[in-house]
Amino acid sequence: MCEKKNKIRLVALIEEVEDKSLKKEYKIVNFLPDIKVEKIIENNVHLQDSDNKYRFKIVKKDMFQIPYTNEFKDLSVIVGENGSGKTTLINDIFTFGYRSLINFIFQKEDEILIYANYFFERNIVLEHSDEYEYIYLKLNTEKDLNIIKFSNAIEFYNINDSNSYYRINASKFNNLNDSIKLFDIKNKEDIRLWETINQVKFVHKFKDRISEFVDYTKKGVMVNFKGERLPFSSQHLDFISRVNNKFINERLVAYYSILINYMIDIDYTNPNPQKHENLLNFHLLMVKSPLKLKNSSKSEKQSKISLQYQSIGVDKDKFLPYEYSIGGLRHDVPNIELGDNNSNFWIEVWHSIYIINLYFEYIRFNKGENNKYKSSIEEIIKKLKLLIDRYKVLSSSTEINDKLSEYIENINIFYKKIDNNDFDEWKDFWETIKIPCIRVAKAISYTSYFELSGHGYFVKYKLIPRRVMTRLREFEVHNDINYLKKIRRLLSKLDEITMDFGILTSLIENISKLEHINLNQFLEVKWRGLSSGELALLKTFSNLYSAKIVLQRRKSSGVKVVNFLLLLDEVDLGLHPRWQRKWISTALPIIEKIFESNHLQIIITTHSPIFLSDIFEENIIFLPEESGAHNCRTFGQNIYSLFKNAFFLNEDEFIGEYAYQKIQDTIEYLRFKIDGELENLGDESLYSNLNEEDAKKTAKKIIDSIGEKIISNQLYELFDKAFPPVNTEIKDIENRIKELENRLRELRGGEN
């Protein structure tokens, strides 16, 4: 812990209230067993000084305390019924009494510091003492104290105050977004992602400590990339060069897909006119370049573009992202027939028109000067016309043939007008056809990062990572390249369910360092198989850890704050009783480790009697104070006594309300049977509308079901009085006699 000279402790709060007679009254809540604030009272009157200020004194108690951890002692646990003011008290401390007139009393060495969140004249005075020096100055919270609140309960008003330099509400992760420097949290998905990442980093740092509760490293984490533009897995993806020779790592495929899409977006959306020339060079190269297949003769050479068209037009191969696939084309042009037989035709038509449009844009910006592409474009137009004519002969669709004729006619007309710089009519035509053309062009750009080879009906893909990285360098992302390579290596090591938190943490850190490529937008990190209790526990620890880091970063340079006041509201909510039982012995050492050498004071609210059995009496604050429950000795106490004395349950409240009512109905019914007093049986009784036989069965069922032996034995005695046991043999004889008498009457009736 920190040195004594730096230690600050919250001693008490003094709240000014008014009683029914509108007379000022002061309510004190003390938080420490060894130093307390008390009223100065004579003859049951709260004394005032000459300035009419109410007098208080500091009382130092000589008390031996056993620490809850190696060094930690300053713990307060607030207990009380719902509505008694536990959460309100926590919020008053967190906000320093924004809602009311509250004075806060702190101890710092031999000084008493008084803080009030209002500016009018103070109405209290502390009596001077030889032991303490009183300083009536506002506590310098920026230099002296950090306050962190964490609540598992649902609150209906906002007290985040997360912009304060000295306090933060860590109940929700979005209040901690200052800890994330490089990324803005814009939506719920981002919050969930970075909350999980925050938890992963915490587990990596504190895994040895927290394993006493849960070994989160055995739970594992799933890491994937998400997004509409990522490809499906393909049977025809051969391998990823220099990454893994044994199997395809689909996570890496998705990773490279993101990088490729990043470059395509820049290529096709860049407003610079130069893009038309760059794209024109690329697409003309794709059209002209042959593909040399291994072990193939010269006659078997196949053009690269034909495989590109085939890869886009294959319906069953789902490797391409939807945006670039045949499925996307169907979405854009639903009226055009796209199938196994004619997909390649349409793709080639749209690609050719896209190249022609690039040429027209190039001419428009360059005013026809240095027209080095003219011969190439003429060749493409000629080839396009032959392609369309051939298809029209084979096609039976008049509508499609008419559309194709319109295409080639418009292209020829506009091509001839180029020299006159007449582009307006072409722009109108281009607007009607551009969507599938652009889609095909982007698809070809995407597949250009793969080595393609024919494989029967399908196309095989082999990613070329070197080409991806080389191309990225052209986009001025030099600082990102090394991080991207590290990310690739780390991804290749990840299993489907990640258990290596060192690799995972390194991966996250490298992704966080990227400046240009927003890889985090596609990242998906999910815990595998965490229960709600396990997640609640992890959120508590990780949020406290992050809040500490946030507050330390906010402090002015040169100011070292070593005092933390933690306000934990119902921190045990949702935990299994076994974990509630271990919280003090296991969670407190973890929290102490989180805050390292800093001084801690912790104030906790709880409803758990199991939790309370670990707390010394002097560390408990009972609300309301007038309940008298403070006389309860809690440490090592049994649960029944804690419920009765500390949680204000009446004698009739130690079983469920339904069970209590049915047992009471049974007692009343049995007494009615014994005494014959009908007024004892109410109209709402379980037995009011039952016949005697059903009522007897109901009473027997309820008594047999009672778990508490004392209660069940007492009811068995009442039942035997209401329904005295009968000798079985006598009962059987009586029943036999009745049967014979009935039979005799039947026979005599037959004689008549």
Side-chain angles (χ1 to χ4, degrees), residues 40 63 98 110 163 205 236 310 352 431 507 547 596 634:
I40 298 179
M63 177 172 289
Y98 77 99
D110 296 328
N163 292 323
K205 187 175 177 66
H236 316 293
Q310 186 180 339
S352 299
E431 288 297 320
L507 174 69
E596 299 171 322
T634 56

Side-chain angles (χ1 to χ4, degrees), residues 369-406:
E369 299 175 3
N370 189 24
N371 189 352
K372 56 187 176 182
Y373 302 106
K374 189 170 184 178
S375 60
S376 298
I377 300 301
E378 287 177 348
E379 185 178 336
I380 288 175
I381 293 175
K382 182 179 177 181
K383 186 178 178 181
L384 178 61
K385 187 176 184 307
L386 292 172
L387 182 70
I388 290 175
D389 289 341
R390 191 182 310 122
Y391 184 84
K392 286 164 66 177
V393 173
L394 300 174
S395 175
S396 59
S397 175
T398 305
E399 182 181 353
I400 292 176
N401 288 337
D402 290 344
K403 183 171 289 191
L404 289 170
S405 297
E406 181 187 352

Side-chain angles (χ1 to χ4, degrees), residues 478-539:
H478 305 289
N479 295 334
D480 289 348
I481 295 296
N482 288 333
Y483 297 130
L484 292 171
K485 289 181 177 179
K486 289 179 183 177
I487 293 167
R488 182 195 68 187
R489 289 196 294 269
L490 292 166
L491 287 174
S492 66
K493 297 178 181 179
L494 289 181
D495 297 325
E496 183 181 355
I497 307 300
T498 303
M499 304 287 186
D500 193 326
F501 280 69
I503 292 177
L504 187 55
T505 303
S506 180
L507 174 69
I508 291 167
E509 288 175 350
N510 279 282
I511 290 175
S512 302
K513 293 174 183 176
L514 295 175
E515 295 180 1
H516 297 89
I517 304 169
N518 295 324
L519 198 60
N520 63 294
Q521 293 180 355
F522 302 92
L523 186 65
E524 187 176 48
V525 182
K526 291 183 177 180
W527 287 100
R528 179 177 176 267
L530 283 191
S531 69
S532 59
E534 290 169 337
L535 185 58
L537 194 67
L538 184 55
K539 281 184 176 181

Side-chain angles (χ1 to χ4, degrees), residues 86-95 98 146-161 166-172 175-176 539-540 543-544 547-548 551 564-571 595 603 605:
K86 299 185 300 298
T87 299
T88 300
L89 180 58
I90 289 289
N91 290 339
D92 279 339
I93 300 170
F94 181 71
T95 59
Y98 77 99
N146 284 317
I147 302 178
I148 298 173
K149 175 189 171 182
F150 180 88
S151 176
N152 275 324
I154 299 174
E155 297 188 65
F156 297 99
Y157 52 93
N158 184 19
I159 57 152
N160 287 340
D161 200 23
Y166 65 89
R167 62 189 172 201
I168 188 167
N169 182 4
S171 305
K172 296 180 179 179
N175 297 334
L176 304 170
K539 281 184 176 181
T540 302
N543 281 19
L544 288 177
K548 180 198 100 169
L551 287 173
F564 284 86
L565 174 59
L566 305 188
L567 309 171
L568 309 181
D569 189 23
E570 299 192 27
V571 74
F595 289 88
I603 301 175
T605 70

Side-chain angles (χ1 to χ4, degrees), residues 23-232:
K23 183 181 177 181
K24 289 188 186 302
E25 181 62 48
Y26 290 90
K27 185 171 67 176
I28 303 173
V29 180
N30 284 294
F31 298 101
L32 300 172
D34 58 322
I35 179 172
K36 296 183 181 294
V37 176
E38 294 180 358
K39 300 176 184 178
I40 298 179
I41 296 177
E42 285 185 9
N43 300 322
N44 293 323
V45 176
H46 190 178
L47 299 181
Q48 297 174 267
D49 66 1
S50 57
D51 296 323
N52 295 323
K53 294 181 179 181
Y54 289 87
R55 296 165 60 189
F56 296 84
K57 61 182 178 180
I58 298 291
V59 179
K60 188 176 181 181
K61 297 184 179 277
D62 186 15
M63 177 172 289
F64 176 76
Q65 289 182 271
I66 299 174
Y68 287 95
T69 66
N70 292 332
E71 298 182 57
F72 176 73
K73 295 180 181 180
D74 294 335
L75 174 68
S76 303
V77 179
I78 305 172
V79 183
E81 294 179 327
N82 287 329
S84 60
K86 299 185 300 298
T87 299
T88 300
L89 180 58
I90 289 289
N91 290 339
D92 279 339
I93 300 170
F94 181 71
T95 59
F96 279 160
Y98 77 99
R99 67 171 184 89
S100 55
L101 305 180
I102 298 180
N103 295 272
F104 294 88
I105 312 299
F106 293 89
Q107 177 198 8
K108 183 179 181 181
E109 293 186 76
D110 296 328
E111 299 176 342
I112 297 297
L113 308 177
I114 303 178
Y115 181 99
N117 198 29
Y118 56 93
F119 299 98
F120 48 87
E121 185 178 2
R122 192 183 309 276
N123 292 315
I124 70 168
V125 62
L126 290 175
E127 297 291 300
H128 289 280
S129 167
D130 294 335
E131 295 185 75
Y132 298 103
E133 178 183 354
Y134 298 103
I135 302 177
Y136 293 91
L137 298 175
K138 186 174 182 178
L139 181 73
N140 192 334
T141 50
E142 182 175 350
K143 291 184 177 181
D144 296 328
L145 187 63
N146 284 317
I147 302 178
I148 298 173
K149 175 189 171 182
F150 180 88
S151 176
N152 275 324
I154 299 174
E155 297 188 65
F156 297 99
Y157 52 93
N158 184 19
I159 57 152
N160 287 340
D161 200 23
S162 50
N163 292 323
S164 171
Y165 280 98
Y166 65 89
R167 62 189 172 201
I168 188 167
N169 182 4
S171 305
K172 296 180 179 179
F173 181 75
N174 55 302
N175 297 334
L176 304 170
N177 58 12
D178 284 358
S179 64
I180 303 169
K181 285 187 173 182
L182 299 177
F183 303 105
D184 294 327
I185 295 179
K186 298 177 181 178
N187 52 56
K188 292 182 179 179
E189 289 293 326
D190 286 343
I191 292 174
R192 281 194 290 267
L193 169 63
W194 289 105
E195 184 174 24
T196 305
I197 289 174
N198 184 62
Q199 293 161 5
V200 167
K201 289 182 175 181
F202 170 80
V203 170
H204 179 57
K205 187 175 177 66
F206 296 95
K207 56 188 174 193
D208 294 336
R209 291 270 181 174
I210 202 171
S211 61
E212 296 183 42
F213 264 128
V214 184
D215 190 351
Y216 289 93
T217 60
K218 291 184 178 179
K219 293 290 180 177
V221 174
M222 293 180 288
V223 179
N224 292 298
F225 294 103
K226 56 182 174 58
E228 295 180 355
R229 300 180 60 184
L230 303 186
F232 298 93

